[in-house]
Amino acid sequence: MVQDAELRSNFEKLYQARPRLYRAPGRVNLIGEHTDYNDGFVMPVAVDLYTWVAIAPRRDRKLVLHSQNYSDGVEVDLDRVSPGPRRHWSDYVRGVAAILERMGLRLPGASLLIHGEVPIGSGLGSSAALEVSSGYALLSLAGIPIDRTQLSLACQRAEHEFAGTRCGIMDQFISCHGRSEHALLLDTRSLAFEWLPLPSQVNVIVCNTMVKHNLAADEYNTRRAECESGVRALAARLPELRALRDAGLSDLEENAAALPQKIYRRCRHVISENERVKAAACALKEKNFAVLRCLMGESHRSLRDDYEVSCRELDVMVELAAQLEGVYGARMTGGGFGGCTVNLVRAEKSAQFQTRIAQEYEKHAGLKPEVYVCTAAEGVQERLGTGESICA
Ligand code: GLA
């Protein structure tokens, strides 16, 4: 964990100026996977792993960026931002700046020092945390009032255009709107949301399989295209249907013959997952952990068999967790093809769970996992010099 003071002091050494400091959280999704680009429902939690940005203004119109993670620096001319993805960490910051400017928000030149604690490419929203922290920092520096929902939409656009992933809104939205001790139930069509208290007797534990499969970005866009083709086929028979969110399982069954097998299974995942999110929200409110456990199990199987975004390591981690004491639910989380699982674990069994899952996973997968006991965190915010925080 980088201390505020350390980042400030590194910034001062690098740029000979005093910075302001911001941080945006990563996230873990409890349930509602691959539903957000289908106008559906999601239930993420912002976690206490952050991307930090130290920033100070410059007199010119340049962004001078330095990443501590990559030990690498880049300059961006705000008057001549090159378009499109370059497959470089700075794409996210360049993209957010370009989109904000395109929205008519004039940004100042600035020096930025970035430090990410969210494991990169592990399905915990590291790119969204980078987009949101830098977007928020740039807007604050410019003295522009920040609408958190608008910022999350700008960051999503940046990811589409400058990173080439046609992601949904979940990661950016929770990084902006996270709340300590709460999960967030989001309707990704209307962007209406509700904070759901996380019961104190449960810990949210994230297990990192430590594998990342390269196909993730391509397969993600392919899944999205498959859902769109499902919508086109269904809409020919159900004219009211705009997105898979508008279909029920009975609509799908009645029109199954109109869909190729694979597209049918993709649609079945999304449609059933939306139902599971709504049921999980009720179960969480009622602290009905038996129901939550079933829903998370079904979600994982649906992602594995119908949506085909799991992998052996994720399946192993989930199967091992399900056998341990005090587990109220386990499933893969995020885009898939590696990355992390999310586990709801009874608080007093949490220490035992961490030891056992690490031992068992290493035995079965031959890899040492990372295990994080997460605290639900606030959305993006400025960190004041005293260590106190303020919210926009
Ligand atoms: C990635 C995307 C999100 C969402 C998840 C899958 O994290 O950024 O928008 O689609 O995958 O649920």
Side-chain angles (χ1 to χ4, degrees), residues 27 29 32-37 167-171 220 334-335:
R27 64 102 189 90
N29 189 19
E33 220 64 83
H34 290 276
T35 47
D36 62 349
Y37 50 85
C167 63
I169 189 64
M170 169 169 69
D171 303 356
Y220 186 92

Side-chain angles (χ1 to χ4, degrees), residues 250-269:
S250 55
D251 297 319
L252 180 67
E253 293 312 326
E254 281 159 25
N255 296 288
L259 301 170
Q261 249 305 310
K262 185 161 78 178
I263 303 297
Y264 165 81
R265 283 190 287 113
R266 303 297 192 245
C267 295
R268 185 166 64 181
H269 164 70

Side-chain angles (χ1 to χ4, degrees), residues 62-85:
K62 274 190 193 147
L63 295 182
V64 179
L65 313 174
H66 190 92
S67 157
Q68 292 202 154
N69 300 70
Y70 292 98
S71 304
D72 182 34
V74 168
E75 280 193 16
V76 176
D77 183 345
L78 283 171
D79 292 319
R80 248 171 308 190
V81 179
S82 50

Side-chain angles (χ1 to χ4, degrees), residues 158-336:
E159 182 131 356
H160 285 206
E161 290 184 33
F162 290 82
T165 308
R166 295 178 63 218
C167 63
I169 189 64
M170 169 169 69
D171 303 356
Q172 293 79 7
F173 199 92
I174 185 68
S175 192
C176 286
H177 286 284
R179 186 175 203 177
S180 67
E181 295 168 28
H182 289 77
L184 184 136
L185 172 64
L186 172 66
D187 176 340
T188 64
R189 171 173 279 169
S190 65
L191 299 185
F193 64 92
E194 189 185 341
W195 282 300
L196 306 176
L198 285 168
S200 58
Q201 63 266 49
V202 173
N203 283 347
V204 177
I205 303 188
V206 169
C207 298
N208 191 339
T209 61
M210 308 306 280
V211 297
K212 298 175 200 171
H213 294 292
N214 287 335
L215 17 117
D218 287 347
E219 289 290 328
Y220 186 92
N221 288 342
T222 305
R223 291 299 176 283
R224 185 165 181 160
E226 287 166 349
C227 290
E228 287 162 358
S229 96
V231 169
R232 281 193 298 275
L234 290 171
R237 290 150 177 257
L238 303 163
E240 306 284 280
L241 185 131
R242 281 197 288 136
L244 288 179
R245 141 72 176 274
D246 301 314
L249 280 173
S250 55
D251 297 319
L252 180 67
E253 293 312 326
E254 281 159 25
N255 296 288
L259 301 170
Q261 249 305 310
K262 185 161 78 178
I263 303 297
Y264 165 81
R265 283 190 287 113
R266 303 297 192 245
C267 295
R268 185 166 64 181
H269 164 70
V270 174
I271 296 169
S272 62
E273 184 79 349
N274 276 329
E275 291 307 316
R276 284 188 287 271
V277 180
K278 288 183 261 177
C282 297
L284 194 61
K285 284 181 192 165
E286 291 162 5
K287 300 189 186 161
N288 190 338
F289 300 117
V291 169
L292 265 180
R293 185 186 166 107
C294 282
L295 293 167
M296 288 176 77
E298 281 169 23
S299 168
H300 185 79
R301 287 188 289 278
S302 175
L303 287 158
R304 182 190 65 195
D305 302 335
D306 275 354
Y307 219 61
E308 296 180 284
V309 290
S310 187
C311 62
R312 191 183 76 86
E313 295 84 355
L314 284 168
D315 296 342
V316 166
M317 192 77 92
V318 165
E319 280 155 27
L320 292 171
Q323 292 161 24
L324 296 178
E325 233 185 304
V327 174
Y328 289 141
R331 55 181 286 278
M332 59 155 277
T333 189

